[in-house]
PDB file of all heavy atoms in Angstrom:
ATOM      1  N   ALA A 197     121.348  59.062-110.339  1.00 96.00           N
ATOM      2  CA  ALA A 197     121.097  57.628-110.092  1.00 96.00           C
ATOM      3  C   ALA A 197     122.211  56.774-110.743  1.00 96.00           C
ATOM      4  O   ALA A 197     122.400  55.623-110.391  1.00 96.00           O
ATOM      5  CB  ALA A 197     119.734  57.219-110.673  1.00 96.00           C
ATOM      6  N   HIS A 198     122.967  57.399-111.640  1.00 94.00           N
ATOM      7  CA  HIS A 198     124.132  56.677-112.252  1.00 94.00           C
ATOM      8  C   HIS A 198     125.241  56.443-111.223  1.00 94.00           C
ATOM      9  O   HIS A 198     126.235  55.809-111.577  1.00 94.00           O
ATOM     10  CB  HIS A 198     124.703  57.509-113.410  1.00 94.00           C
ATOM     11  CG  HIS A 198     123.846  57.464-114.652  1.00 94.00           C
ATOM     12  ND1 HIS A 198     124.072  58.263-115.738  1.00 94.00           N
ATOM     13  CD2 HIS A 198     122.717  56.743-114.944  1.00 94.00           C
ATOM     14  CE1 HIS A 198     123.168  58.021-116.664  1.00 94.00           C
ATOM     15  NE2 HIS A 198     122.320  57.120-116.209  1.00 94.00           N
ATOM     16  N   THR A 199     125.051  56.918-110.022  1.00 95.00           N
ATOM     17  CA  THR A 199     126.053  56.621-108.990  1.00 95.00           C
ATOM     18  C   THR A 199     126.115  55.145-108.646  1.00 95.00           C
ATOM     19  O   THR A 199     127.062  54.691-108.022  1.00 95.00           O
ATOM     20  CB  THR A 199     125.810  57.461-107.743  1.00 95.00           C
ATOM     21  OG1 THR A 199     126.911  57.369-106.835  1.00 95.00           O
ATOM     22  CG2 THR A 199     124.544  57.029-107.022  1.00 95.00           C
ATOM     23  N   ILE A 200     125.075  54.398-109.035  1.00 95.00           N
ATOM     24  CA  ILE A 200     125.081  52.935-108.901  1.00 95.00           C
ATOM     25  C   ILE A 200     124.799  52.332-110.264  1.00 95.00           C
ATOM     26  O   ILE A 200     124.269  52.976-111.152  1.00 95.00           O
ATOM     27  CB  ILE A 200     124.058  52.418-107.858  1.00 95.00           C
ATOM     28  CG1 ILE A 200     122.658  52.904-108.183  1.00 95.00           C
ATOM     29  CG2 ILE A 200     124.454  52.874-106.459  1.00 95.00           C
ATOM     30  CD1 ILE A 200     121.578  52.357-107.266  1.00 95.00           C
ATOM     31  N   GLY A 201     125.191  51.093-110.416  1.00 91.00           N
ATOM     32  CA  GLY A 201     124.853  50.369-111.656  1.00 91.00           C
ATOM     33  C   GLY A 201     125.976  50.439-112.690  1.00 91.00           C
ATOM     34  O   GLY A 201     127.095  50.878-112.417  1.00 91.00           O
ATOM     35  N   PHE A 202     125.651  50.015-113.912  1.00 91.00           N
ATOM     36  CA  PHE A 202     126.627  49.930-114.967  1.00 91.00           C
ATOM     37  C   PHE A 202     126.009  50.277-116.298  1.00 91.00           C
ATOM     38  O   PHE A 202     124.780  50.365-116.453  1.00 91.00           O
ATOM     39  CB  PHE A 202     127.208  48.476-115.017  1.00 91.00           C
ATOM     40  CG  PHE A 202     126.147  47.407-115.207  1.00 91.00           C
ATOM     41  CD1 PHE A 202     125.720  47.063-116.466  1.00 91.00           C
ATOM     42  CD2 PHE A 202     125.616  46.769-114.086  1.00 91.00           C
ATOM     43  CE1 PHE A 202     124.741  46.075-116.608  1.00 91.00           C
ATOM     44  CE2 PHE A 202     124.653  45.771-114.264  1.00 91.00           C
ATOM     45  CZ  PHE A 202     124.205  45.420-115.549  1.00 91.00           C
ATOM     46  N   SER A 203     126.868  50.465-117.314  1.00 92.00           N
ATOM     47  CA  SER A 203     126.415  50.689-118.675  1.00 92.00           C
ATOM     48  C   SER A 203     127.108  49.702-119.615  1.00 92.00           C
ATOM     49  O   SER A 203     128.293  49.420-119.421  1.00 92.00           O
ATOM     50  CB  SER A 203     126.712  52.134-119.123  1.00 92.00           C
ATOM     51  OG  SER A 203     125.977  53.067-118.386  1.00 92.00           O
ATOM     52  N   HIS A 204     126.387  49.237-120.618  1.00 91.00           N
ATOM     53  CA  HIS A 204     126.991  48.314-121.563  1.00 91.00           C
ATOM     54  C   HIS A 204     127.962  49.057-122.463  1.00 91.00           C
ATOM     55  O   HIS A 204     127.788  50.250-122.781  1.00 91.00           O
ATOM     56  CB  HIS A 204     125.906  47.642-122.421  1.00 91.00           C
ATOM     57  CG  HIS A 204     125.083  46.656-121.664  1.00 91.00           C
ATOM     58  ND1 HIS A 204     123.900  47.009-121.044  1.00 91.00           N
ATOM     59  CD2 HIS A 204     125.284  45.366-121.350  1.00 91.00           C
ATOM     60  CE1 HIS A 204     123.379  45.946-120.433  1.00 91.00           C
ATOM     61  NE2 HIS A 204     124.216  44.944-120.585  1.00 91.00           N
ATOM     62  N   CYS A 205     129.010  48.355-122.886  1.00 93.00           N
ATOM     63  CA  CYS A 205     130.059  48.975-123.652  1.00 93.00           C
ATOM     64  C   CYS A 205     129.568  49.667-124.928  1.00 93.00           C
ATOM     65  O   CYS A 205     130.106  50.698-125.344  1.00 93.00           O
ATOM     66  CB  CYS A 205     131.128  47.935-124.048  1.00 93.00           C
ATOM     67  SG  CYS A 205     132.066  47.287-122.634  1.00 93.00           S
ATOM     68  N   LYS A 206     128.514  49.112-125.511  1.00 92.00           N
ATOM     69  CA  LYS A 206     128.015  49.713-126.767  1.00 92.00           C
ATOM     70  C   LYS A 206     127.505  51.148-126.546  1.00 92.00           C
ATOM     71  O   LYS A 206     127.446  51.928-127.503  1.00 92.00           O
ATOM     72  CB  LYS A 206     126.883  48.871-127.326  1.00 92.00           C
ATOM     73  CG  LYS A 206     125.618  48.817-126.493  1.00 92.00           C
ATOM     74  CD  LYS A 206     124.531  48.008-127.182  1.00 92.00           C
ATOM     75  CE  LYS A 206     123.230  48.026-126.339  1.00 92.00           C
ATOM     76  NZ  LYS A 206     122.163  47.267-126.995  1.00 92.00           N
ATOM     77  N   GLU A 207     127.201  51.508-125.286  1.00 91.00           N
ATOM     78  CA  GLU A 207     126.679  52.819-125.012  1.00 91.00           C
ATOM     79  C   GLU A 207     127.753  53.910-125.052  1.00 91.00           C
ATOM     80  O   GLU A 207     127.450  55.090-125.213  1.00 91.00           O
ATOM     81  CB  GLU A 207     126.037  52.860-123.610  1.00 91.00           C
ATOM     82  CG  GLU A 207     124.786  51.980-123.463  1.00 91.00           C
ATOM     83  CD  GLU A 207     123.630  52.484-124.289  1.00 91.00           C
ATOM     84  OE1 GLU A 207     123.570  53.688-124.595  1.00 91.00           O
ATOM     85  OE2 GLU A 207     122.765  51.673-124.669  1.00 91.00           O
ATOM     86  N   PHE A 208     129.013  53.515-124.931  1.00 94.00           N
ATOM     87  CA  PHE A 208     130.092  54.479-124.983  1.00 94.00           C
ATOM     88  C   PHE A 208     131.241  54.061-125.875  1.00 94.00           C
ATOM     89  O   PHE A 208     132.316  54.682-125.886  1.00 94.00           O
ATOM     90  CB  PHE A 208     130.634  54.779-123.546  1.00 94.00           C
ATOM     91  CG  PHE A 208     131.022  53.544-122.784  1.00 94.00           C
ATOM     92  CD1 PHE A 208     132.339  53.081-122.862  1.00 94.00           C
ATOM     93  CD2 PHE A 208     130.114  52.867-121.963  1.00 94.00           C
ATOM     94  CE1 PHE A 208     132.705  51.940-122.142  1.00 94.00           C
ATOM     95  CE2 PHE A 208     130.485  51.725-121.279  1.00 94.00           C
ATOM     96  CZ  PHE A 208     131.798  51.249-121.348  1.00 94.00           C
ATOM     97  N   ALA A 209     131.037  53.040-126.686  1.00 93.00           N
ATOM     98  CA  ALA A 209     132.097  52.506-127.552  1.00 93.00           C
ATOM     99  C   ALA A 209     132.626  53.556-128.508  1.00 93.00           C
ATOM    100  O   ALA A 209     133.810  53.599-128.821  1.00 93.00           O
ATOM    101  CB  ALA A 209     131.602  51.299-128.315  1.00 93.00           C
ATOM    102  N   ASN A 210     131.734  54.462-128.977  1.00 92.00           N
ATOM    103  CA  ASN A 210     132.177  55.495-129.890  1.00 92.00           C
ATOM    104  C   ASN A 210     133.124  56.501-129.250  1.00 92.00           C
ATOM    105  O   ASN A 210     133.787  57.273-129.941  1.00 92.00           O
ATOM    106  CB  ASN A 210     130.949  56.229-130.459  1.00 92.00           C
ATOM    107  CG  ASN A 210     130.164  56.982-129.385  1.00 92.00           C
ATOM    108  OD1 ASN A 210     129.992  56.487-128.301  1.00 92.00           O
ATOM    109  ND2 ASN A 210     129.715  58.180-129.701  1.00 92.00           N
ATOM    110  N   ARG A 211     133.210  56.489-127.920  1.00 93.00           N
ATOM    111  CA  ARG A 211     134.121  57.407-127.240  1.00 93.00           C
ATOM    112  C   ARG A 211     135.479  56.782-126.943  1.00 93.00           C
ATOM    113  O   ARG A 211     136.447  57.468-126.616  1.00 93.00           O
ATOM    114  CB  ARG A 211     133.515  57.864-125.907  1.00 93.00           C
ATOM    115  CG  ARG A 211     132.237  58.691-126.033  1.00 93.00           C
ATOM    116  CD  ARG A 211     131.815  59.236-124.644  1.00 93.00           C
ATOM    117  NE  ARG A 211     132.732  60.278-124.204  1.00 93.00           N
ATOM    118  CZ  ARG A 211     132.879  60.679-122.935  1.00 93.00           C
ATOM    119  NH1 ARG A 211     132.172  60.042-121.995  1.00 93.00           N
ATOM    120  NH2 ARG A 211     133.708  61.622-122.629  1.00 93.00           N
ATOM    121  N   ILE A 212     135.583  55.467-127.104  1.00 93.00           N
ATOM    122  CA  ILE A 212     136.852  54.799-126.755  1.00 93.00           C
ATOM    123  C   ILE A 212     137.499  54.083-127.931  1.00 93.00           C
ATOM    124  O   ILE A 212     138.653  53.648-127.845  1.00 93.00           O
ATOM    125  CB  ILE A 212     136.678  53.814-125.567  1.00 93.00           C
ATOM    126  CG1 ILE A 212     135.613  52.745-125.925  1.00 93.00           C
ATOM    127  CG2 ILE A 212     136.315  54.543-124.294  1.00 93.00           C
ATOM    128  CD1 ILE A 212     135.489  51.659-124.860  1.00 93.00           C
ATOM    129  N   PHE A 213     136.764  53.978-129.068  1.00 93.00           N
ATOM    130  CA  PHE A 213     137.347  53.327-130.253  1.00 93.00           C
ATOM    131  C   PHE A 213     137.172  54.253-131.455  1.00 93.00           C
ATOM    132  O   PHE A 213     136.056  54.698-131.764  1.00 93.00           O
ATOM    133  CB  PHE A 213     136.686  51.979-130.530  1.00 93.00           C
ATOM    134  CG  PHE A 213     136.867  50.961-129.422  1.00 93.00           C
ATOM    135  CD1 PHE A 213     135.782  50.482-128.722  1.00 93.00           C
ATOM    136  CD2 PHE A 213     138.138  50.493-129.125  1.00 93.00           C
ATOM    137  CE1 PHE A 213     135.935  49.504-127.717  1.00 93.00           C
ATOM    138  CE2 PHE A 213     138.322  49.548-128.108  1.00 93.00           C
ATOM    139  CZ  PHE A 213     137.234  49.078-127.409  1.00 93.00           C
ATOM    140  N   ASN A 214     138.276  54.546-132.131  1.00 91.00           N
ATOM    141  CA  ASN A 214     138.252  55.351-133.383  1.00 91.00           C
ATOM    142  C   ASN A 214     137.487  56.657-133.170  1.00 91.00           C
ATOM    143  O   ASN A 214     136.628  57.017-134.006  1.00 91.00           O
ATOM    144  CB  ASN A 214     137.617  54.543-134.520  1.00 91.00           C
ATOM    145  CG  ASN A 214     138.324  53.226-134.720  1.00 91.00           C
ATOM    146  OD1 ASN A 214     139.537  53.159-134.820  1.00 91.00           O
ATOM    147  ND2 ASN A 214     137.544  52.142-134.841  1.00 91.00           N
ATOM    148  N   PHE A 215     137.779  57.349-132.115  1.00 91.00           N
ATOM    149  CA  PHE A 215     137.046  58.582-131.774  1.00 91.00           C
ATOM    150  C   PHE A 215     137.239  59.639-132.852  1.00 91.00           C
ATOM    151  O   PHE A 215     136.300  60.286-133.254  1.00 91.00           O
ATOM    152  CB  PHE A 215     137.472  59.078-130.405  1.00 91.00           C
ATOM    153  CG  PHE A 215     136.784  60.342-129.996  1.00 91.00           C
ATOM    154  CD1 PHE A 215     135.445  60.271-129.597  1.00 91.00           C
ATOM    155  CD2 PHE A 215     137.418  61.579-130.032  1.00 91.00           C
ATOM    156  CE1 PHE A 215     134.778  61.449-129.221  1.00 91.00           C
ATOM    157  CE2 PHE A 215     136.750  62.736-129.671  1.00 91.00           C
ATOM    158  CZ  PHE A 215     135.415  62.663-129.281  1.00 91.00           C
ATOM    159  N   SER A 216     138.469  59.835-133.256  1.00 91.00           N
ATOM    160  CA  SER A 216     138.765  60.858-134.307  1.00 91.00           C
ATOM    161  C   SER A 216     140.057  60.502-135.032  1.00 91.00           C
ATOM    162  O   SER A 216     140.717  59.497-134.683  1.00 91.00           O
ATOM    163  CB  SER A 216     138.893  62.236-133.648  1.00 91.00           C
ATOM    164  OG  SER A 216     140.080  62.322-132.870  1.00 91.00           O
ATOM    165  N   LYS A 217     140.392  61.323-135.996  1.00 89.00           N
ATOM    166  CA  LYS A 217     141.627  61.067-136.754  1.00 89.00           C
ATOM    167  C   LYS A 217     142.882  61.294-135.898  1.00 89.00           C
ATOM    168  O   LYS A 217     143.955  60.756-136.210  1.00 89.00           O
ATOM    169  CB  LYS A 217     141.685  61.996-137.977  1.00 89.00           C
ATOM    170  CG  LYS A 217     140.617  61.661-139.046  1.00 89.00           C
ATOM    171  CD  LYS A 217     140.742  62.608-140.222  1.00 89.00           C
ATOM    172  CE  LYS A 217     139.703  62.256-141.296  1.00 89.00           C
ATOM    173  NZ  LYS A 217     139.787  63.162-142.454  1.00 89.00           N
ATOM    174  N   THR A 218     142.721  62.058-134.842  1.00 92.00           N
ATOM    175  CA  THR A 218     143.898  62.375-133.998  1.00 92.00           C
ATOM    176  C   THR A 218     143.923  61.642-132.664  1.00 92.00           C
ATOM    177  O   THR A 218     144.917  61.689-131.955  1.00 92.00           O
ATOM    178  CB  THR A 218     143.944  63.896-133.716  1.00 92.00           C
ATOM    179  OG1 THR A 218     142.709  64.285-133.075  1.00 92.00           O
ATOM    180  CG2 THR A 218     144.074  64.682-135.033  1.00 92.00           C
ATOM    181  N   SER A 219     142.838  60.981-132.302  1.00 92.00           N
ATOM    182  CA  SER A 219     142.777  60.305-131.019  1.00 92.00           C
ATOM    183  C   SER A 219     141.894  59.059-131.087  1.00 92.00           C
ATOM    184  O   SER A 219     140.803  59.099-131.630  1.00 92.00           O
ATOM    185  CB  SER A 219     142.245  61.240-129.943  1.00 92.00           C
ATOM    186  OG  SER A 219     142.160  60.601-128.681  1.00 92.00           O
ATOM    187  N   GLU A 220     142.413  57.965-130.543  1.00 93.00           N
ATOM    188  CA  GLU A 220     141.644  56.733-130.484  1.00 93.00           C
ATOM    189  C   GLU A 220     140.435  56.842-129.548  1.00 93.00           C
ATOM    190  O   GLU A 220     139.432  56.202-129.716  1.00 93.00           O
ATOM    191  CB  GLU A 220     142.526  55.577-130.036  1.00 93.00           C
ATOM    192  CG  GLU A 220     143.388  54.972-131.160  1.00 93.00           C
ATOM    193  CD  GLU A 220     142.541  54.239-132.170  1.00 93.00           C
ATOM    194  OE1 GLU A 220     141.596  53.536-131.798  1.00 93.00           O
ATOM    195  OE2 GLU A 220     142.819  54.431-133.382  1.00 93.00           O
ATOM    196  N   TYR A 221     140.593  57.692-128.511  1.00 93.00           N
ATOM    197  CA  TYR A 221     139.507  57.843-127.550  1.00 93.00           C
ATOM    198  C   TYR A 221     139.227  59.334-127.309  1.00 93.00           C
ATOM    199  O   TYR A 221     140.055  60.204-127.636  1.00 93.00           O
ATOM    200  CB  TYR A 221     139.843  57.130-126.226  1.00 93.00           C
ATOM    201  CG  TYR A 221     141.141  57.589-125.593  1.00 93.00           C
ATOM    202  CD1 TYR A 221     141.151  58.731-124.748  1.00 93.00           C
ATOM    203  CD2 TYR A 221     142.326  56.923-125.761  1.00 93.00           C
ATOM    204  CE1 TYR A 221     142.340  59.174-124.155  1.00 93.00           C
ATOM    205  CE2 TYR A 221     143.502  57.341-125.177  1.00 93.00           C
ATOM    206  CZ  TYR A 221     143.486  58.448-124.371  1.00 93.00           C
ATOM    207  OH  TYR A 221     144.653  58.890-123.780  1.00 93.00           O
ATOM    208  N   ASP A 222     138.082  59.615-126.713  1.00 93.00           N
ATOM    209  CA  ASP A 222     137.679  60.969-126.408  1.00 93.00           C
ATOM    210  C   ASP A 222     138.667  61.567-125.416  1.00 93.00           C
ATOM    211  O   ASP A 222     138.815  61.049-124.280  1.00 93.00           O
ATOM    212  CB  ASP A 222     136.266  60.967-125.814  1.00 93.00           C
ATOM    213  CG  ASP A 222     135.691  62.350-125.603  1.00 93.00           C
ATOM    214  OD1 ASP A 222     136.442  63.317-125.590  1.00 93.00           O
ATOM    215  OD2 ASP A 222     134.464  62.439-125.424  1.00 93.00           O
ATOM    216  N   PRO A 223     139.366  62.666-125.780  1.00 93.00           N
ATOM    217  CA  PRO A 223     140.321  63.250-124.859  1.00 93.00           C
ATOM    218  C   PRO A 223     139.708  63.820-123.580  1.00 93.00           C
ATOM    219  O   PRO A 223     140.454  64.173-122.670  1.00 93.00           O
ATOM    220  CB  PRO A 223     140.979  64.359-125.726  1.00 93.00           C
ATOM    221  CG  PRO A 223     140.013  64.611-126.817  1.00 93.00           C
ATOM    222  CD  PRO A 223     139.305  63.339-127.068  1.00 93.00           C
ATOM    223  N   ALA A 224     138.391  63.890-123.524  1.00 92.00           N
ATOM    224  CA  ALA A 224     137.724  64.323-122.280  1.00 92.00           C
ATOM    225  C   ALA A 224     137.892  63.283-121.178  1.00 92.00           C
ATOM    226  O   ALA A 224     137.768  63.606-119.989  1.00 92.00           O
ATOM    227  CB  ALA A 224     136.269  64.633-122.525  1.00 92.00           C
ATOM    228  N   TYR A 225     138.153  62.032-121.582  1.00 94.00           N
ATOM    229  CA  TYR A 225     138.381  60.981-120.584  1.00 94.00           C
ATOM    230  C   TYR A 225     139.739  61.168-119.899  1.00 94.00           C
ATOM    231  O   TYR A 225     140.723  61.603-120.527  1.00 94.00           O
ATOM    232  CB  TYR A 225     138.405  59.615-121.256  1.00 94.00           C
ATOM    233  CG  TYR A 225     137.071  58.942-121.493  1.00 94.00           C
ATOM    234  CD1 TYR A 225     136.769  58.428-122.765  1.00 94.00           C
ATOM    235  CD2 TYR A 225     136.154  58.771-120.475  1.00 94.00           C
ATOM    236  CE1 TYR A 225     135.568  57.767-122.980  1.00 94.00           C
ATOM    237  CE2 TYR A 225     134.961  58.130-120.700  1.00 94.00           C
ATOM    238  CZ  TYR A 225     134.672  57.624-121.949  1.00 94.00           C
ATOM    239  OH  TYR A 225     133.481  56.979-122.176  1.00 94.00           O
TER     240      TYR A 225
END
Side-chain angles (χ1 to χ4, degrees):
H198 286 172
T199 190
I200 56 176
F202 57 86
S203 294
H204 290 94
C205 292
K206 67 177 182 178
E207 296 292 336
F208 54 89
N210 64 319
R211 296 187 71 200
I212 58 175
F213 297 116
N214 304 313
F215 180 74
S216 70
K217 292 181 179 180
T218 59
S219 178
E220 279 292 318
Y221 57 84
D222 187 343
Y225 276 131

